[in-house]
């Protein structure tokens, strides 16, 4: 709900500057379509910071072709080469990257034209000192762009108790405010598995504001190069069952618990600290 006459409220959504945090790694096959969808956003006040994790294809050349005629600020830098999560966190925890709001971007999606506008309309109603995340559903498309449905509709209550066992929305849908980014900067580059799940856990732990949009925000391309992919269909479920028996999810939980336990106790709401202790 928008908050009227709040001195802590950020500037209007229309005037806000969004820093788009994109990670790339050999993304030449689909990158141009994603860049075009960013250029076609109805919200035009954005900059693009790309962390390339050692591409050996034409990814860098495609980025240069996109950046040369653009009027927006576009910066490409070298990533840490420690995987996608570490790459995204290298951007999100970098205090030199400043803006009113921030948006994660994968290299192979296609954003709906109003993606940023929809996110900013809600985020602008949150006081700027409150960490806030906007995310939502996705339209699932094949590697050649054919639509075949939508990501599962998240229906459980949004809360820390849910965050420690389930993701909320994909990182490719997440747009967040400066307070959420400062929280990430304060906790640093912890050893977590997925940056989007970590965002949900961290912001919910401190009692931040979160919005899950049941309407799709982008076309999420499903192909062999996806790190996780959408959890839909029996094949995806069987893959996850296999991961359970191999101990993968147990290892992931241990990493996330260790990261949460490193957050200063004063930042986490007491009831969420108790929930974490019970979960452990």
């Amino acid at each position: 709900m928008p908050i009227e006459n709040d001195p802590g409220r950020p500037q209007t959504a229309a005037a806000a500057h969004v820093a788009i945090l994109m990670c790339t790694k050999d993304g030449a096959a689909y990158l141009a379509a994603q860049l075009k969808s960013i250029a076609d956003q109805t919200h035009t006040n954005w900059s693009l910071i790309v962390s390339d994790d050692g591409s050996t294809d034409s990814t860098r050349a495609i980025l240069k072709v996109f950046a040369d005629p653009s009027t927006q600020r576009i910066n490409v830098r070298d990533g840490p080469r420690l995987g996608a999560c570490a790459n995204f966190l290298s951007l999100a925890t970098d205090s030199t990257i400043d803006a009113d709001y921030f948006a994660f971007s994968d290299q192979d999606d296609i954003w709906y034209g109003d993606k940023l506008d929809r996110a900013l309309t809600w985020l602008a109603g949150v006081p700027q000192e409150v960490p806030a995340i906007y995310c939502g559903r996705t339209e699932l498309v094949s590697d050649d762009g054919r639509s075949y449905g939508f990501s599962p509709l998240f229906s459980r209550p949004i809360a820390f108790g849910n965050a420690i066992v389930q993701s909320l929305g994909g990182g490719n849908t997440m747009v967040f405010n400066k307070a959420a980014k400062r929280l990430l900067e304060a906790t640093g580059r912890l050893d977590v598995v997925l940056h989007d799940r970590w965002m949900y856990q961290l912001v919910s732990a401190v009692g931040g504001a979160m919005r899950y949009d049941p309407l799709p925000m982008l076309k999420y391309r499903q192909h062999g190069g996806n790190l996780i992919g959408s959890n839909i269909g029996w094949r995806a479920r069987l893959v996850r069952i296999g991961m359970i028996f191999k101990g993968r999810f147990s290892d992931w939980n241990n990493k996330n618990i260790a990261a949460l336990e490193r957050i200063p106790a004063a930042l986490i709401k007491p009831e969420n600290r108790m929930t974490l202790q019970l979960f452990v």
Side-chain angles (χ1 to χ4, degrees):
M1 176 180 295
I3 300 172
E4 303 296 336
N5 302 318
D6 188 327
R9 183 176 177 178
Q11 61 179 299
T12 63
H17 175 227
V18 182
I20 300 171
L21 311 178
M22 174 185 280
C23 290
T24 58
K25 174 68 188 296
D26 294 332
Y30 311 110
L31 180 58
Q34 170 67 317
L35 293 173
K36 183 179 185 305
S37 73
I38 291 173
D40 291 342
Q41 287 295 294
T42 53
H43 183 86
T44 58
N45 187 8
W46 53 264
S47 57
L48 176 64
I49 302 93
V50 182
S51 182
D52 183 67
D53 234 10
S55 292
T56 57
D57 62 2
S58 58
T59 290
R60 291 265 188 159
I62 292 170
L63 289 167
K64 186 176 187 307
V65 168
F66 178 73
D68 284 348
S70 178
T71 58
Q72 278 90 351
R73 182 172 66 87
I74 298 171
N75 177 264
V76 181
R77 69 188 202 181
D78 294 329
R81 302 194 184 194
L82 296 172
C85 180
N87 201 6
F88 276 111
L89 288 180
S90 74
L91 293 171
T93 60
D94 185 345
S95 61
T96 67
I97 299 175
D98 191 29
D100 298 307
Y101 301 100
F102 307 84
F104 287 132
S105 172
D106 287 354
Q107 64 185 2
D108 50 6
D109 299 326
I110 300 175
W111 285 7
Y112 287 6
D114 63 348
K115 178 184 186 291
L116 292 180
D117 263 331
R118 284 165 54 189
L120 297 184
T121 297
W122 180 80
L123 285 166
V126 180
Q128 61 186 134
E129 72 275 9
V130 177
I133 303 172
Y134 176 97
C135 62
R137 293 181 81 187
T138 61
E139 177 186 357
L140 306 178
V141 299
S142 61
D143 57 358
D144 58 358
R146 290 176 295 173
S147 177
Y148 63 90
F150 302 96
S151 61
L153 180 64
F154 184 89
S155 58
R156 296 185 180 276
I158 298 174
F160 178 70
N162 173 257
I164 56 178
V165 296
Q166 183 182 27
S167 293
L168 175 61
N172 54 353
T173 72
M174 285 184 170
V175 184
F176 50 100
N177 66 0
K178 189 178 295 190
K181 185 172 185 296
R182 286 175 176 164
L183 190 60
L184 283 165
E185 293 171 7
T187 53
R189 303 184 196 181
L190 297 175
D191 184 19
V192 294
V193 179
L194 301 171
H195 63 290
D196 46 12
R197 186 167 182 178
W198 174 238
M199 284 283 291
Y200 181 23
Q201 291 177 338
L202 183 60
V203 173
S204 63
V206 303
M210 287 167 287
R211 160 70 175 164
Y212 173 82
D213 193 335
L215 299 177
M217 311 169 63
L218 56 85
K219 295 183 178 183
Y220 179 21
R221 203 184 299 267
Q222 305 291 292
H223 56 82
N226 284 124
L227 177 64
I228 295 296
S230 178
N231 185 16
I232 189 170
W234 283 108
R235 182 179 181 277
R237 291 167 187 162
L238 287 172
V239 168
R240 282 160 173 75
I241 290 172
M243 292 168 72
I244 290 173
F245 282 113
K246 291 178 181 177
R248 182 81 61 85
F249 284 152
S250 176
D251 292 342
W252 288 4
N253 275 332
N254 290 337
K255 285 187 175 184
N256 287 340
I257 288 168
L260 287 165
E261 289 180 332
R262 290 183 60 182
I263 302 173
L267 291 179
I268 299 184
K269 285 185 165 293
E271 61 269 28
N272 291 336
R273 176 66 66 180
M274 179 62 69
T275 296
L276 178 61
Q277 291 173 353
L278 290 170
F279 180 69
V280 172

